[in-house]
Each structure stands twice: as structure tokens, then as C-alpha cells.
């Protein structure tokens, strides 16, 4: 195939994804919304979500413009740098924000239509919820690949000499910086919003009047449902946009090392750089194909459909990767004494995939209701909240063991086969079918919302049962998704780290050097302080929420009896304000710390990257698994569980203790935990971008 | 002064410490025990503690013999190694165990005599409790310095050539290995014992009949008091023995690098090696002098006395260090292009001291009842246990920030002044007055025990009030002690790490190498898994305890009414068995993992050391501060606290939530947290010892 043709075909796949997403979105819009009450509730949720996104983006615009100006100035008039990097940054930020906006817009339409479809059956409800998720997934990969490949084509024409390839890639790393910074703010802001509303609604219901969290009389309940959209849909979308883009760019940077050798071999010299784009482009098409497998018959198990879609797409992609790599890369070549083969690079991709699946399976083992760890937490709940918490913390910490061993093995093995390029492409292997992966992830909160709407609109219980069934499945696939997120984050951070070392011309990062050790310690500390900030924010915002609910119960006559309507908008406003206010400090920390440390010493910054990666991986796994296990221990008790002849269920003391665990786990698993994956990559990208300035 | 004279004077200071400790112990024995009931209760506690120590040491003897044989074989017939290292190992283990035994034996005599003295006043009670602690402190430093310096003298005569100095030091590192492995088992075993009994007694009291933990009807109450002795006295003693010895040996290893230069300068060539021993020996004398300052007048504040003793000793020691360093070291010398001066080495000592005090002050800020963090946890307790836990976790994580910055600054600064030797001697600076430091630390559990005995013996409330007053003070000094423990652990681990690099001939530990990165990740994971094991052990043992208490209440007629006696011995037995059983796996992990990883790759082991140090420091600070803050939030509420016009006190819902926090914090602050300081040094020592074999 001709070089130019293949290069221009890449953005086309992005456009295709967006067109398909647009069709799916229109189809969803055409589905009926159900009763007037449903429509009204859904309207409140959609308005709240949109209002949050607008406010969030207003803050982010200021941030993006400021950073763009700084980037532009800092990169002016220096050898090997160009102010154009500011353009990449703005485009990256814009694409990320746009993907989040698209996804959330459609999710807030799909939720009520899923509820309505669930009034008659399961099949169409699954179809709508999954289609909503698919729009998010395709928007993310479509905009990601379109933005990246367009910039690459433009910059390649501006700097056509082969010696300028690494300059081009350096410019493109600005795109990743844009994506990462938006992702961190969106994840933290969205995470604070959703958990403040969730914890607030939960506790407020308990503190005042024993009203359940989805009860229409609970004023925080709309905010809670808005939270699912801004946190679990828009926040997660930005998160995966960042992972996806980061993995591609990480591989591109390292592929630049092949240029001189490929050139002498008569191979397309930049194929090491464009290969990740090609794999990603094919992954988009495979994701679309995979989405056709997602179906459920009436009475069937929706899990089967989701598994078919996701695993089907992964297997097809693995097979195709072999042919792509074999076709585009030479059979073998040698750089700096290391001999690469196309087969070994394929092995690295497979190592990434296998590691991701294994980490996902381990995650599922620790968090699933059917396994020993969750049952142990449930058992410990009998002696009260303290033992629930101790056992959950213990299980969360223990659950870091195997994933880290898998990850370490993957790092060593992929490096053995294909050097640093192997590590980077292993991460890409996990993320190549992000399109469908994200569709499955985003399907969860849509079904969750659908259930909330059913409850608030007072629909018959079988509707809620159906949406609960939708919500309950997808756990396995979501666990695999988590595995991919953590695994790829670590590998990508590592690839970016190696890239930083190259770009900053750091000759050796000897960890026994005190300055590097100091950097390592400070880096390892950041995930702790960052998590503390996120948790503190959730705690403060939840307190505000509880007080507001109390005020409404005191001041609105008839609210308690269900004859007057709660002032939902006030609660939405509290969550919005708190999330915006509280996301700024941790977000800025992620951007500023590496800059400050880098200007103190670029060696210290190297140590910092190693520290933040190692401790970030551990804290992310610990927090999300502890949270997941507590969540499911509560669910397990709700489904009744027997110990020593006594049956414990909803309302038992053991259940009350388990609810405490679940509430503690909420901010860990949905706010601080997932933000750490972004934090470690953001810090690495910032280091990479500022490397030429140090 | 003549070289030989000063060398032989060092063990004499150790002997002096032991003689003084013996006199103090005899004095304590001569004090009256009080009523027959008191005597009987104290007898139960002393018997339980001794029984545990015997069982523990039986297991450890097998471990020590096995490792000694392995060490002997592995070090036979290789260049630069000698099987004599096994002897050092056995002596180190024996000295550590003996110090623990002495300390605990006297502590279990001092407790009841403190209670008895508290029947008449505060002064004599303080005197007895502090003397009990002083015996522990002086046994630790006395045996430490006696063992170390004797071995050094013997080995120096066996290998008299100057070229053999590093061989001699390598042999002595076996002493540190012995101390570290006993410390890990003793800390973990003791920690599990004390918290299983504490959590068990606490929850059992609540689950059955609402009986307070110190109530004589609670069958777990004797076990709880035994726990204070085996965990907080014997366990902590072994811990500090290990720190003390580790810091001295770490400095000795690095001081070997000065031998050739000093030799050409006409200075005592091994003075860099013996200097840490000299400083430690002087520190012993200063500790004894400091102990004379600890006095309280009737009606006075015992805090003043303790402060006088500890800070007085520290200041005297700082001043003396200047003269010692100035006297023994040349004004300046150059090794490998780095110029050392005696003044700069003194600066490194001061940097260590200042860093330790700062970390201690930060610890106190986060954990003291008077400050914002603890008050915030108390406030969050109003909305229930979930918010108590979330805020405590957040505060624990946040509290890692400043100490890590201080530590990093200390590393960089002490290295700037005096290279790696500076880092090691900074750690020694913190630990030079361990004798009195440990006396103050061990005084706490003795007073605590005294209070328990007062309660169980049914003495009038003013006795308990006096012992509570004794127990409550010493918080500041204990916080400073914690700061020293964490700071010195990190610096010592770093010094041992550097020593490992030298001994294993690892040329560069470049952290961006995948094999080292994999080691880093695995190392960072160990503190998580280790903590999980410790917490799981406490949970399981506490459950057993709760069940046993339940059984006794069901099966012993009259127990509930207070007419029958509880079967205390059964509970003691449960704690003992659980602690012995559960300490083995985590203890072995600490010893075996570095060996396995080292034989895979010595570079990977380097990464592992960096990982376990960085993540160990963070997890240790996080866990002990979260635990400390929860503990004091509960105490703060018990002392009544007002929010928005409502007063919360003992028995309020806020108090119940705070009790949950306190119980969760117990294993974190007293079992897993403090064990991590040992774990990171143990792993580094194991690496150092096996380095010649790799």
C-alpha cells in the first residue's frame, strides 16, 4: 500500500466512527420517552448535567487558554521547539471536551428511553442503553484518532525532513497534554460531583426520616442521578480519551527511534510512528463490528451479549494485529544492538492483552459477590462497622499483590521481546478496542439512571427489576475494563517516562542517587495527598448536601408527606459548585508539581515519575478494589446470606455495617482511585512536554 | 586518645547501661505491690506475658538456627565471605530477644507498683513507671552497643589488615540481620496479640452486655493488658533495638570508604567506622544523665519532667557530637573527588535531629486533640461512622505530605554536606539518645497497665484518674519518638541501600530500566500486602476472641452478675496462639522475598529496595497518623465537644461513630504501620548480607 494513502485513510476511520455515532444518537432520540412524569424527571437530569458541564468547561477554557499561552511563549525561539505545540494542546483539550459533551448528551437521552423500553421488555432496553454507551465510545475514539492523525499529517507537511520526525512528535505530545489535563479535571470534578450527591443523598435519607436515596421526596436524588452522568459517563469518557491518546503517542515517540534504520532498509521510515495510528484505526472498525454482537433475547442473559461484543472484538483485533504488524513492519531490524522482529512486536501486543485480561480477572475475583473476599467482608459485618472496614481495607491492600506481579511480568516480557517500543505497544494492545470497551462501561450508568427514573416516576416494580438486571450484568466486562485501565496506565506512564528520559537527555536515573531518591519519595507521596484532597472534597460537599436536605425538610411544608415537591435544583447547584471549586487544587497540583520539580532538577523529576507511577498504580488498585468489594458485600447481604445458621438481609445490623463500608468505598472507587490513573500519566506527559526546556 | 583505649571503652559503656538498668530493676522490685487482689491480677498479666514470650522465642529459635545454618553454608569457601557471619546473626538475634525479655519482665513488675504508688500520689507513680521504661531503654542500648562493639573488636583481631575492614563490617552486618528479623517477628507478633485482645475485648464488651473493656467481668481484659506488655513494650523494644543497630551499622559500612585516605593522612584509619560506635556510647551516658531530670512534684505536670529528660538529653547530645566529631575526625579529607569536613559531618547529624523533630511535630499536629484535623474527624462523626472513616483516611493520607518533604530535604541536604556517610550519620543523630527515648515510650504502656489494674482491682476512682494523667502525658514526646522512628528508618534504609549497591557491585540502578522498574513496583507492593496480612490476622484473632467471650458469658453461671470469675487464661491462650501463628507468614515474607528477587537479578533487587522504602515510608506515616487521629477524635468527643450549639459526649451517636474509627485505627497504628519501618530495613539488610553471594 502506498504510504500516503494509508496515512490519509486513518482520519477517515475517525470520521466513520463519528458518523456511525451520529446515526445511533439520532436513532435513540427517536425512541419514545414514556409518561410525562418520566419525561419531566429526565429533563431535570439532563438540564442538571448540561449545566454542570457548561460551568466546568467555562473554568477549563480559562485554564486551557492560560496554559496554551505559556506553552507558546516557552517554546518560542528555542532550537527544536515550536510554539505550535500550543495548538496541539488546544486541539487535544477541545476533542476531549467535545467527546465528553457528545457522550453525556446522548446518555441523558438514553436513560429515560431505556426506562420506557424496560416497561415492556429487556431486549430493547439493553439495545438503547448499549447504543447510548456506544455513542460515547465511538465519539472518544473517533475524535481521538481524527485529531491525532490530522495533526500528524499537517505537521509532517510542515516539517517534512526525516530528521524532523522527533520534532513533529514532540509537537503532537501537546495533544496528549491537552487530553490529560481535561481528563484529570473532568474525572476529579465529575467524581466529586457524583459521590457528593450519592453520599449526601444516602446519608441525608438516613439522617432525616429514613427516606431511601431514590425516593422522589429526597431532594438530593436528582443530583445523584445527574452525578452518574457527569462522573461515570463524561468523566470516564475523558479518562479513556486520555488513556487512548496517551498509549498511541507513547508508542509514536518511541517509534521515532526506528526512522534512520528503516530509511536505510528501504522501508517506510516513519512506519514505527504511524503503526500505532493504523492499529487504532483498525480497532475502531472492529469495535463497530463488535457492537453488532450485543443483543439479548427476551428472557436471555444480557451478559452473554456484552461478552460476545467485547471479547469478540478483542479476539478479532488480536488476530488482525498479527497481519497488520506483519504487513507493515520488516521481518527484522536492529537498532543500538537490539534486534527487533515483527513477530516479537506482535507478541508484545498479546502480552499487553493477556496482562489486561488477567488483571481484570483478579479484580473480579476480589470484588465479585460470589468469591471469598466479599463473603469475608459480609461475615465481618456481623460484628459491626469497624470489622467491615478493617477487612475491606485489608482485602483492598492484599488485592494489589497479583496485579503488580502480572504487570511486572508484562513489563519485563514485553521489553524482552521488543524493547521500550514493546512496552508502549503492549499498552496500545489493551486499548485498541476502546470503542466497544467504553460502550460497555458507559452502559452501566445509563442503566443505573434508568432505574432511578423508574423509581422516581413511580413505575411498577417489574420495570425497576429489569433495569436492575441490566445494571447488574456487565460486571465482568467492567472488571476487565478496569484491568485494562490500570494496566495500560502503568505501561503508558512507563513508556512516557522512557520518552522523557530520551528527550531530556538524562543519561542515567540512578535510584541510589539522593536527589533521585528524594524525587522518588515525593512522587510516591503525590497519590496519597491527591487522594486525600479528593476524599476531603467529597466529605465537605456531602456535608453541604446533607444540610441542604435537612433545610428543605424543615422549611417545605408537605415534603415529608409527599404532597409538595422538593427543590431539586438547589441540590444540583450545591454539587455543581462544590465539584467545580474542589477540582481546581488537585488538578493544578498534577500540572504544576512536575514543572516545579523539573526546574529544580531534571534528575529529580525522573525520580518523581518513577515514584508517582509505582505508588499511583498501588493506590489505584487498592482504592478501587476496596470500594468495589465493600459495594458488593452490601449487595451480597441484601441478597440474604447465612452464617452459622443465622440469615442476614436488608435491615439487619450486618447490613447497616455493610452500608457504612459501601459509603466509605464510594469516594475511593469512584473519585480518588480512578483519578490516579490519569494523574500518573498527566505528570509523565507534562515532564515530556517540558523536557526540551529543561 | 589511643585508638585501642577508645575502642575498649565502648563496650564498657554498654556494660554500665546494663548495671544501671539492673539497679533500677531491683529498686522497682522492692516497691510494694498493694492489695492481694492487685497482686493477683498483676500476677496473671505477668504470667500471660511471659508465656507468650516463651512461645514466641521457641518459634524464633528454630528460625534463627535454620537461618544461621544457611548463612554459614552460603558464606563458606567464597572469596570475601566467611561463615562467621552466622555467629553475628545469632548474637544479634539473642541480644534483641534478651533486651525484650528484660524490658518486659520489669514492665510487668512496674505496672502494679505504679498503681499502688498512685493510691497516694503522682510523684512516686511517675518515678516507678518511668524507671520501668528506663530499664527497657537501657537494656536495648546496652546490649546493642555491647554486642556490636565486642564483635567488632573480636573480628578486627581476627582480620587485622586494613584491607580487611570491609570484610569485618560485612561480618558484623549479620548482627543487624539478626536484630531485624527478631524485630519484625516481635513487632508483628506483639502487634497482633495486643490488637486482637484490644479489639476483641472492646467489641466483645459491646456485642455482649455492654461491658466496658477494663471491666473485671470481661474475660478478655487480662489478655488486653498482657497485650500492652508484649506489643508496646517487648515489640517496641525489639523495634528500637533494630533501628539503633541498623543506623550504627549503616554508618560503619559507609565509613569503610575512608580507610585508605585516613591511612595516608596518619589519622586512625578506621575512625570513620568506629565513630558511630563512639557517638552511640556517649549517647548512653547522656541518656542516663537525662533520666535524672525526669521528676514531678505533687500537683505538678508530669509532661514537664519527661520533656526535660528527653529534650535535655537531645540538646546535650547535639553539643557533645560537635566535640566528638571535631576531636576524632580530621578537619577535612577527600575521597573520590568529594571533600568531607568534620564540621559538615556535624551538620549532617544536626540535619537528622532537626528533621526528626520536625516530622514529630507534624505528626503531633495531625494527631493531637487540640488541632484542626482531629476536630474535623470529630465533627464528621456527627453524620455517622462512614464520614468518620472517610475523613480519617483522608487526613492520614494528607499527613504524608509534609513529612516526606522534610525527609527529602534531609536526604538531599545531608548528602550535600557529607555524602552517603552524611545520610547514615543523620539517622544515627536521631537515635543517639534512644536510651531515654525508649524509656519515655515504654512508660506509656506501663501507665496504661497501671490504670487497667486499678480498674480491675476496684480501687477508688482517684487512682485511675492519676494513672490516666500519667498515661495522657508523654504524647508530645511519643510523637517526637515516632518522627525519629520514621525518619531514621527511611535514612537507614537508604544508607543500607547505598551499601548494598557498593557490595553487590551494581554499577547503575537506572530506574527507567524495565527490570528495575518491575522491582520497584514489586517493592512498592510489599508494604500493602504486608499490611493486609497484619490486618487480616488481627481481624481473625479478634473474631476468635469475641466468640470465646460469648461462650464464657453463655456457659459460666454468675459471670454476668460478677459473682463468678471469668476464665482469663483461655483468652490469653487465644491471643497467644493467634499471634504466633499469624506472625510467621509476614515475617518470612520479609526475609525471603529479597533473597528470591536477588537471585533472579541483583538489579531488580535494587529496584525492590527503592520501592519498598518509598512506599513503606508513606504507608507507615499514613497508617499511624490515621490511627492516631481516630484515637484522639474519640477522646476529644469523650471530653465533650460542641458543634452548632449541640454538645456531643460519651454515649452520643457521634461518640459511637468515633469508636468505630478508633477500632479501625487500632491495627493500623499499632500492628501494620510500625511493622513497616522494620520491614523496609530488614529487606535492605537481607540484600546487604546476600550481596556478596549474588
Amino acid at each position: 500500500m502506498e504510504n500516503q494513502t494509508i496515512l490519509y485513510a486513518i482520519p477517515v476511520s475517525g470520521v466513520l466512527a463519528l458518523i456511525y455515532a451520529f446515526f445511533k444518537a439520532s436513532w435513540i432520540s427517536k425512541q419514545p420517552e414514556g409518561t410525562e412524569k418520566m419525561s419531566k424527571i429526565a429533563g431535570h437530569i439532563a438540564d442538571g448535567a448540561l449545566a454542570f458541564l457548561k460551568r466546568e468547561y467555562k473554568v477549563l477554557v480559562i485554564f486551557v487558554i492560560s496554559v496554551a499561552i505559556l506553552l507558546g511563549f516557552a517554546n518560542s525561539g528555542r532550537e527544536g521547539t515550536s510554539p505550535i505545540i500550543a495548538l496541539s494542546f488546544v486541539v487535544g483539550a477541545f476533542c476531549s471536551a467535545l467527546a465528553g459533551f457528545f457522550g453525556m448528551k446522548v446518555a441523558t437521552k438514553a436513560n429515560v428511553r431505556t426506562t420506557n423500553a424496560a416497561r415492556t421488555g429487556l431486549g430493547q432496553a439493553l439495545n438503547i442503553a448499549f447504543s447510548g454507551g456506544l455513542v460515547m465510545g465511538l465519539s472518544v475514539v473517533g475524535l481521538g484518532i481524527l485529531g491525532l492523525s490530522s495533526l500528524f499529517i499537517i505537521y509532517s507537511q510542515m516539517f517534512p525532513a526525516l530528521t524532523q520526525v522527533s520534532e513533529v512528535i514532540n509537537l503532537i505530545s501537546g495533544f496528549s497534554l491537552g487530553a490529560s489535563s481535561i481528563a484529570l479535571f473532568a474525572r476529579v470534578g465529575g467524581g466529586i460531583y457524583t459521590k457528593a450527591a450519592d453520599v449526601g443523598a444516602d446519608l441525608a435519607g438516613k439522617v432525616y426520616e429514613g427516606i431511601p436515596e431514590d425516593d422522589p421526596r429526597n431532594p438530593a436524588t436528582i443530583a445523584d442521578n445527574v452525578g452518574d452522568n457527569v462522573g461515570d459517563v463524561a468523566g470516564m469518557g475523558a479518562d479513556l480519551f486520555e488513556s487512548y491518546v496517551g498509549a498511541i503517542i507513547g508508542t509514536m515517540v518511541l517509534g521515532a527511534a526506528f526512522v534512520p534504520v528503516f530509511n536505510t532498509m528501504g522501508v517506510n521510515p516513519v512506519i514505527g510512528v504511524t503503526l500505532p495510528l493504523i492499529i487504532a484505526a483498525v480497532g475502531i472498525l472492529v469495535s463497530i463490528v463488535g457492537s453488532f454482537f450485543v443483543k439479548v433475547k427476551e428472557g436471555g442473559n444480557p451478559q452473554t451479549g456484552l461478552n460476545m461484543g467485547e471479547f469478540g472484538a478483542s479476539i478479532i483485533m488480536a488476530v488482525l494485529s498479527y497481519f497488520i504488524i506483519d504487513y507493515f513492519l520488516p521481518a527484522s531490524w536492529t537498532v543500538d544492538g537490539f534486534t527487533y522482529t515483527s513477530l516479537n512486536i506482535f507478541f508484545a501486543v498479546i502480552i499487553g492483552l493477556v496482562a489486561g485480561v488477567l488483571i481484570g480477572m483478579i479484580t473480579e475475583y476480589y470484588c465479585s459477590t460470589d468469591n471469598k473476599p466479599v463473603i469475608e467482608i459480609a461475615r465481618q459485618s456481623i460484628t459491626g462497622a469497624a470489622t467491615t472496614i478493617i477487612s475491606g481495607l485489608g482485602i483492598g491492600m492484599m488485592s494489589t499483590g497479583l496485579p503488580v506481579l502480572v504487570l511486572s511480568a508484562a513489563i519485563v516480557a514485553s521489553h524482552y521481546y521488543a524493547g521500550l517500543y514493546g512496552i508502549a505497544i503492549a499498552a496500545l494492545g489493551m486499548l485498541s478496542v476502546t470503542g466497544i470497551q467504553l460502550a460497555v462501561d458507559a452502559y452501566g450508568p445509563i442503566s443505573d439512571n434508568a432505574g432511578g427514573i423508574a423509581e422516581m416516576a413511580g413505575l411498577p416494580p417489574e420495570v425497576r427489576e429489569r433495569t436492575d438486571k441490566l445494571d447488574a450484568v456487565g460486571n465482568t466486562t467492567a472488571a476487565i475494563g478496569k484491568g485494562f485501565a490500570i494496566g495500560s496506565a502503568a505501561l503508558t506512564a512507563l513508556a512516557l517516562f522512557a520518552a522523557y528520559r530520551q528527550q531530556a537527555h538524562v543519561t542515567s536515573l540512578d535510584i541510589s542517587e539522593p536527589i533521585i531518591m528524594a524525587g522518588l519519595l515525593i512522587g510516591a507521596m503525590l497519590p496519597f495527598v491527591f487522594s486525600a484532597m479528593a476524599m476531603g472534597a467529597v466529605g465537605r460537599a456531602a456535608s453541604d448536601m446533607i444540610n441542604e436536605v435537612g433545610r428543605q425538610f424543615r422549611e417545605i411544608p408537605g415534603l415529608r408527606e409527599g404532597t409538595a415537591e422538593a427543590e431539586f435544583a438547589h441540590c444540583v447547584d450545591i454539587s455543581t459548585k462544590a465539584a467545580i471549586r474542589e477540582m481546581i487544587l488537585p488538578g493544578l497540583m498534577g500540572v504544576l508539581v512536575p514543572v516545579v520539580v523539573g526546574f529544580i532538577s531534571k534528575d529529580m523529576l525522573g525520580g518523581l515519575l518513577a515514584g508517582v507511577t509505582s505508588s499511583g498504580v498501588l493506590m489505584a488498585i487498592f482504592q478501587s478494589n476496596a470500594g468495589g468489594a465493600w459495594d458488593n458485600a452490601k449487595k451480597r447481604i441484601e441478597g440474604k446470606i447465612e452464617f452459622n445458621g443465622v440469615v442476614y438481609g436488608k435491615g439487619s445490623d450486618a447490613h447497616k455495617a455493610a452500608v457504612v463500608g459501601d459509603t466509605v468505598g464510594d469516594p475511593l472507587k469512584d473519585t480518588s482511585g480512578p483519578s490516579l490513573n490519569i494523574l500518573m500519566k498527566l505528570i509523565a506527559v507534562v515532564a515530556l512536554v517540558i523536557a526540551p526546556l529543561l
Side-chain angles (χ1 to χ4, degrees), chain A:
Chain A
M1 213 183 295
E2 228 240 286
N3 287 337
Q4 290 303 81
T5 323
I6 186 76
L7 201 53
Y8 287 114
I10 295 167
V12 172
S13 75
V15 173
L16 271 178
L18 293 174
I19 293 175
Y20 190 68
F22 177 76
F23 275 112
K24 276 281 169 191
S26 320
W27 176 81
I28 292 169
S29 296
K30 281 184 205 124
Q31 305 307 310
E33 280 193 308
T35 69
E36 201 186 323
K37 194 165 182 190
M38 287 165 68
S39 195
K40 198 176 142 197
I41 293 166
H44 284 316
I45 296 174
D47 291 351
L50 204 65
F52 171 76
L53 224 57
K54 270 190 192 157
R55 293 254 286 261
E56 184 182 55
Y57 287 176
K58 259 188 209 161
V59 175
L60 292 185
V61 162
I62 300 169
F63 170 81
V64 168
I65 292 175
S66 318
V67 174
I69 292 171
L70 280 173
L71 267 180
F73 270 109
N75 286 282
S76 293
R78 279 172 192 254
E79 186 70 36
T81 65
S82 157
I84 301 177
I85 194 170
L87 175 70
S88 311
F89 173 75
V90 172
V91 175
F94 179 75
C95 286
S96 168
L98 197 62
F101 173 77
F102 282 164
M104 211 199 62
K105 191 89 188 160
V106 173
T108 52
K109 287 186 177 175
N111 54 6
V112 62
R113 291 167 174 83
T114 303
T115 318
N116 187 51
R119 292 165 78 192
T120 50
L122 204 60
Q124 182 70 343
L126 170 73
N127 199 0
I128 295 173
F130 179 76
S131 297
L134 190 62
V135 172
M136 171 92 260
L138 291 176
S139 303
V140 161
V141 294
L143 284 166
I145 207 74
L146 181 61
L148 260 182
S149 57
S150 308
L151 287 181
F152 183 72
I153 292 170
I154 295 167
Y155 294 156
S156 296
Q157 281 167 350
M158 289 169 66
F159 306 96
L162 278 184
T163 50
Q164 290 173 313
V165 170
S166 81
E167 205 165 324
V168 167
I169 293 167
N170 188 39
L171 288 179
I172 287 189
S173 65
F175 188 89
S176 189
L177 182 62
S180 290
S181 22
I182 295 299
L184 192 65
F185 284 107
R187 203 28 143 168
V188 174
I192 293 171
Y193 190 113
T194 179
K195 289 302 127 180
D198 188 0
V199 173
D202 226 11
L203 292 179
K206 240 164 275 156
V207 176
Y208 312 99
E209 304 299 296
I211 286 170
E213 56 173 317
D214 275 343
D215 193 295
R217 288 170 296 166
N218 189 336
T221 188
I222 293 279
D224 188 10
N225 281 284
V226 172
D228 291 344
N229 289 292
V230 303
D232 300 345
V233 179
M236 188 171 55
D239 185 347
L240 273 157
F241 185 87
E242 193 273 327
S243 301
Y244 186 68
V245 165
I248 295 173
I249 290 181
T251 320
M252 288 172 81
V253 175
L254 296 165
F258 301 154
V259 171
V261 175
F262 283 168
N263 200 28
T264 59
M265 290 172 75
V267 184
N268 174 358
V270 296
I271 189 63
V273 178
T274 48
L275 183 70
L277 289 170
I278 298 170
I279 291 179
V282 174
I284 291 184
L285 305 178
V286 173
S287 290
I288 294 177
V289 171
S291 73
F292 290 110
F293 299 151
V294 181
K295 284 199 175 62
V296 62
K297 278 185 209 142
E298 214 49 54
N301 186 353
Q303 181 75 63
T304 322
L306 293 178
N307 285 353
M308 283 284 293
E310 184 166 345
F311 293 122
S314 295
I315 291 167
I316 295 174
M317 192 61 215
V319 175
L320 286 181
S321 306
Y322 174 79
F323 293 104
I324 298 169
I325 292 169
D326 185 55
Y327 179 85
F328 286 105
L329 292 183
S332 86
W333 67 101
T334 303
V335 179
D336 290 339
F338 188 97
T339 300
Y340 297 83
T341 69
S342 61
L343 188 65
N344 282 351
I345 288 192
F346 169 69
F347 284 159
V349 172
I350 297 300
I351 288 167
L353 269 174
V354 170
V357 171
L358 282 178
I359 296 174
M361 285 167 59
I362 299 164
T363 305
E364 213 206 344
Y365 168 75
Y366 279 101
C367 299
S368 153
T369 43
D370 302 326
N371 295 327
K372 233 180 93 181
V374 166
I375 294 174
E376 173 62 16
I377 297 179
R379 199 177 67 79
Q380 294 280 1
S381 299
I382 299 171
T383 40
T387 36
T388 309
I389 301 292
I390 293 175
S391 58
L393 289 175
I395 282 166
M397 288 181 188
M398 186 57 86
S399 76
T400 61
L402 290 177
V404 165
L405 291 183
V406 169
L407 203 54
S408 302
I411 290 169
V412 172
S414 58
H415 183 261
Y416 171 80
Y417 282 115
L420 291 172
Y421 194 76
I423 294 180
I425 211 161
L428 185 61
M430 298 188 202
L431 296 174
S432 50
V433 290
T434 292
I436 191 159
Q437 175 71 54
L438 182 50
V440 172
D441 286 350
Y443 148 98
I446 294 175
S447 316
D448 193 6
N449 246 258
I453 293 172
E455 194 88 16
M456 285 183 276
L459 297 182
E462 70 266 24
V463 181
R464 177 73 199 230
E465 273 161 33
R466 289 201 190 101
T467 59
D468 276 356
K469 199 166 175 189
L470 286 180
D471 193 13
V473 302
N475 275 342
T476 307
T477 34
I480 304 284
K482 255 189 197 173
F484 282 6
I486 293 166
S488 67
L491 294 179
T492 302
L494 208 58
L496 293 171
F497 178 33
Y500 162 75
R501 233 203 86 179
Q502 278 179 15
Q503 300 272 8
H505 305 294
V506 179
T507 44
S508 166
L509 282 172
D510 192 318
I511 197 62
S512 63
E513 286 291 324
I515 186 91
I516 294 173
M517 193 66 186
L520 182 79
L521 278 171
I522 294 174
M525 171 262 279
L526 292 179
F528 285 78
V529 170
F530 185 88
S531 300
M533 286 178 174
M535 270 189 266
V538 170
R540 281 187 294 273
S543 281
D544 291 353
M545 188 65 82
I546 296 170
N547 292 334
E548 169 64 16
V549 172
R551 185 196 66 77
Q552 292 199 19
F553 272 112
R554 277 194 310 276
E555 296 180 7
I556 302 176
L559 177 58
R560 197 160 294 174
E561 296 73 28
T563 55
E565 201 174 54
E567 293 168 359
F568 300 115
H570 279 283
C571 292
V572 169
D573 200 49
I574 284 175
S575 256
T576 304
K577 275 188 188 148
I580 303 286
R581 186 183 67 222
E582 302 275 6
M583 77 178 182
I584 292 176
L585 196 62
L588 284 182
M589 190 178 96
V591 181
L592 293 181
V593 169
V595 175
V596 173
V597 171
F599 281 100
I600 293 174
S601 149
K602 58 186 182 181
D603 291 351
M604 193 174 190
L605 179 53
L608 184 104
L609 295 185
V612 77
T613 305
S614 59
S615 134
V617 168
L618 281 152
M619 288 291 278
I621 300 177
F622 156 53
Q623 297 189 41
S624 51
N625 288 354
W630 275 317
D631 186 2
N632 279 331
K634 184 193 75 169
K635 287 189 180 144
R636 176 77 203 219
I637 293 178
E638 284 171 358
K640 298 213 189 311
I641 189 164
E642 190 189 314
F643 294 110
N644 299 325
V646 184
V647 176
Y648 301 89
K650 217 166 175 167
S652 64
D653 279 349
H655 183 246
K656 278 178 200 146
V659 168
V660 172
D662 180 41
T663 309
V664 170
D666 268 342
L668 298 184
K669 76 178 198 301
D670 292 323
T671 312
S672 47
S675 307
L676 294 178
N677 287 335
I678 306 173
L679 180 73
M680 62 199 195
K681 282 176 287 177
L682 174 61
I683 290 183
V685 174
V686 172
L688 183 62
V689 167
I690 65 171
L693 310 177
L694 297 178

